[in-house]
Amino acid sequence: MKYSNIIKRSLFVAMVALATTACKEDLTIGGVQAPEINPSEETLLYVSDGSGNTSNPMVEMRSSTTLPLHVNATSALDADQTVSFTYDAEALERYNNANGTKLKAIPASWVALSNAGVATLSAGETQSTPVELTITSDGTLDYEATYVVPLTVAAVDSRATLAASAQLRLVFVKDLTALPDCFKTYIDANGVEQPGVKIFSCMEVNDTNPLNNLCFTLEKSGKYVVDALIIFSANINYNEETGRVYVNCNPNVQALLDGSEKYLKPLQDRGMKVILGILGNHDISGISNLADDTAREFAKELKGVCDAYNLDGVFWDDEYSKYPYTNIPPGFVRSSKAACSRLVYEVWKLQPERWNVAYAYSTTYGLNEVDGVPSGVYCPYALHDYGGTADLSSYFPGMPKSNMGLRSQQFANYTTYTAQQLRAQRDQGYGSYMIFAMDPYRANWNSRQLPSLKEICRGFYDDELVVDETFYPKDWN
């Protein structure tokens, strides 16, 4: 099975729709949605997770995960209410018998509940502090199967009625711990294990399927070769009618985002990051000419896109914009490194957990300190243009050498590097690398791309490349 058909990720349009519509019978209290209740004075108790979800949740994990569980009340009580959560395999057996299902329980030894599983809803409050459900895997479960943590919920004090739907909480779990990943290491000259070089696969997705990144592993370790996909590329564009700068995705990029469950999530399940490229698109807007307020607004929109499609970061490329140098319209400034730095910084402020990756070329060959924050902090990765080998410490102060990418390769031309050259680069501490336009369906696959990938594996990991030749063609319109 090439990729797992797990639960479909909510996309931005669906999120907006769900946020703006609700059944008339639903009642929203304290940021969570209560179940349907009868119009009476009776106080009803129900359970939600940290996102306010009252239905049985699905979680995915590698090694371990923690899920907060809250007890909620439809109205505040005048005294404390205690509710207990208990792991109960027999309750799951009864559920299976009653519903004709064959759900399998997560082993009880993997499950821990904080505060002995007891939640207290304090007098005057409508939501308890959370009981934290922690699941810790030993890596023995089938990563394609779905398992359940069965929890019985009981009101210890009968000050309110526990909703019938809340009395059995089934937490569905996909344990990906045993799924091979891309976290590679190598042994240095002193015999010490070191983190492996991170490979960024920048793909021209107009005709290339990102799933091809799953076709390359290492012989000895079994690890995936690619660490991050860069979707090349979404664009920054200007709408003259509205005066707004916006994120523009061509039909191919949009197809991958809309089909992220099929095309992107399988990569993320194996530990690969999915990075969205942002590139100029032949109008006056670009990543280096936004006024500060415009940059802040564009950063908000970009965060919305990353949130909607569960992306892991942004790749910044300052090309193909038609920057004006006279008669500059409101909201723009003259193109400069300072303006580019401000935009990347504003994106980092809104989503510091995601990666900013600079293409070290043109305006993005080095960024400025912004508001006292060094550029190597708000933009932690930089990847050279093809063939570039300079240390980037002075251009991105604060960036570790392990996040600098030297000697990037363009697989559509014939610049190649030997394993010896790449190993020397690795041994100097440069721990990132970019390949562009990898596609096994191109005519130069056997003559250019495959030999280069073999040299990369030998040079960076002292290992041999293994290729699954069941490649993925473009299959979207």
Side-chain angles (χ1 to χ4, degrees):
M1 184 175 181
K2 284 286 190 172
Y3 48 82
S4 300
N5 184 18
I6 308 174
I7 290 182
K8 187 169 181 65
R9 181 179 294 116
S10 297
L11 302 182
F12 183 64
V13 174
M15 292 166 61
V16 173
L18 288 172
T20 55
T21 61
C23 296
K24 292 182 180 180
E25 294 84 358
D26 291 338
L27 176 65
T28 300
I29 299 174
V32 299
Q33 193 176 71
E36 182 179 351
I37 61 173
N38 295 322
S40 71
E41 296 181 358
E42 180 183 37
T43 297
L44 192 68
L45 302 177
Y46 58 99
V47 177
S48 67
D49 61 23
S51 300
N53 177 29
T54 60
S55 61
N56 294 319
M58 163 68 82
V59 298
E60 294 180 357
M61 61 180 285
R62 273 189 183 270
S63 299
S64 67
T65 190
T66 298
L67 179 73
L69 298 171
H70 296 270
V71 176
N72 306 274
T74 54
S75 61
L77 300 171
D78 58 7
D80 291 355
Q81 170 71 63
T82 303
V83 174
S84 66
F85 294 83
T86 306
Y87 178 96
D88 191 345
E90 293 181 358
L92 179 59
E93 184 177 353
R94 292 192 296 271
Y95 179 92
N96 281 333
N97 292 336
N99 294 278
T101 54
K102 297 181 180 180
L103 301 174
K104 297 180 180 179
I106 287 282
S109 60
W110 292 17
V111 177
L113 292 162
S114 66
N115 196 37
V118 175
T120 299
L121 185 63
S122 299
E125 301 293 332
T126 57
Q127 186 176 77
S128 72
T129 55
V131 166
E132 293 191 336
L133 167 66
T134 300
I135 311 165
T136 304
S137 171
D138 67 4
T140 59
L141 294 184
D142 179 0
Y143 57 78
E144 292 189 334
T146 300
Y147 299 86
V148 176
V149 176
L151 299 174
T152 53
V153 187
V156 178
D157 306 310
S158 57
R159 303 183 189 281
T161 300
L162 183 66
S165 60
Q167 293 174 22
L168 177 62
R169 185 74 166 177
L170 300 179
V171 178
F172 292 87
V173 179
K174 291 196 75 72
D175 181 10
L176 305 180
T177 305
L179 185 67
D181 60 35
C182 59
F183 302 113
K184 301 173 288 292
T185 61
Y186 72 96
I187 305 299
D188 68 14
N190 298 315
V192 178
E193 188 175 36
Q194 301 288 354
V197 175
K198 295 181 286 294
I199 305 296
F200 290 77
S201 176
C202 188
M203 301 193 85
E204 173 57 75
V205 298
N206 286 337
D207 55 5
T208 304
N209 192 323
L211 292 173
N212 284 304
N213 289 290
L214 300 177
C215 295
F216 310 106
T217 55
L218 297 175
E219 183 178 71
K220 289 185 287 189
S221 70
K223 300 288 189 176
Y224 287 93
V225 173
V226 172
D227 295 88
L229 162 72
I230 298 172
I231 299 173
F232 193 81
S233 181
N235 299 107
I236 178 171
N237 274 111
Y238 176 58
N239 186 320
E240 293 185 5
E241 294 183 2
T242 64
R244 290 186 63 252
V245 174
Y246 64 98
V247 177
N248 179 39
C249 296
N250 72 28
N252 291 294
V253 172
Q254 192 62 52
L256 296 181
L257 296 179
D258 290 340
S260 60
E261 186 69 26
K262 176 179 179 179
Y263 298 110
L264 306 180
K265 190 172 184 299
L267 277 63
Q268 293 172 317
D269 286 346
R270 289 152 176 85
M272 299 180 198
K273 301 291 186 181
V274 176
I275 311 293
L276 183 66
I278 293 294
L279 177 71
N281 195 26
H282 308 287
D283 68 14
I284 66 169
S285 66
I287 66 172
S288 68
N289 76 331
L290 304 186
D292 288 359
D293 286 345
T294 309
R296 293 186 185 99
E297 289 304 310
F298 185 71
K300 292 176 184 176
E301 177 165 337
L302 194 51
K303 182 181 186 303
V305 173
C306 290
D307 287 346
Y309 299 106
N310 195 34
L311 302 173
D312 299 300
V314 180
F315 176 72
W316 301 96
D317 185 0
D318 192 14
E319 299 182 85
Y320 305 117
S321 294
K322 295 182 178 179
Y323 291 125
Y325 293 96
T326 59
N327 301 318
I328 297 173
F332 294 91
V333 296
R334 189 179 181 89
S335 173
S336 68
K337 193 175 294 291
C340 183
S341 301
R342 169 59 66 180
L343 173 59
V344 179
Y345 170 80
E346 293 296 338
V347 170
W348 171 78
K349 276 179 59 179
L350 291 180
Q351 45 186 21
E353 74 284 1
R354 292 186 167 114
W355 292 2
N356 274 326
V357 182
Y359 182 37
Y361 177 81
S362 183
T363 310
T364 49
Y365 196 111
L367 296 173
N368 299 344
E369 178 179 299
V370 180
D371 294 351
V373 179
S375 59
V377 173
Y378 67 78
C379 184
Y381 288 91
L383 306 172
H384 263 291
D385 188 26
Y386 311 121
T389 60
D391 184 275
L392 294 169
S393 300
S394 61
Y395 296 94
F396 295 91
M399 179 181 292
K401 290 173 70 173
S402 61
N403 290 4
M404 300 177 193
L406 280 58
R407 288 190 173 89
S408 300
Q409 289 194 52
Q410 219 283 34
F411 275 5
N413 64 31
Y414 290 90
T415 301
T416 60
Y417 300 101
T418 66
Q420 184 178 6
Q421 289 174 301
L422 298 175
R423 188 176 297 112
Q425 176 177 315
R426 176 201 74 182
D427 292 344
Q428 292 167 5
Y430 297 103
S432 298
Y433 197 72
M434 184 179 77
I435 58 174
F436 181 82
M438 185 273 288
D439 186 345
Y441 287 96
R442 291 200 173 102
N444 71 347
W445 170 247
N446 287 307
S447 63
R448 164 74 175 98
Q449 299 181 58
L450 184 57
S452 292
L453 285 170
K454 290 180 177 179
E455 291 296 290
I456 285 171
C457 294
R458 292 166 184 157
F460 287 148
Y461 314 116
D462 305 311
D463 208 339
E464 294 297 324
L465 175 69
V466 176
V467 181
D468 177 354
E469 294 187 348
T470 311
F471 298 128
Y472 298 86
K474 177 183 176 182
D475 61 357
W476 63 89
N477 295 324

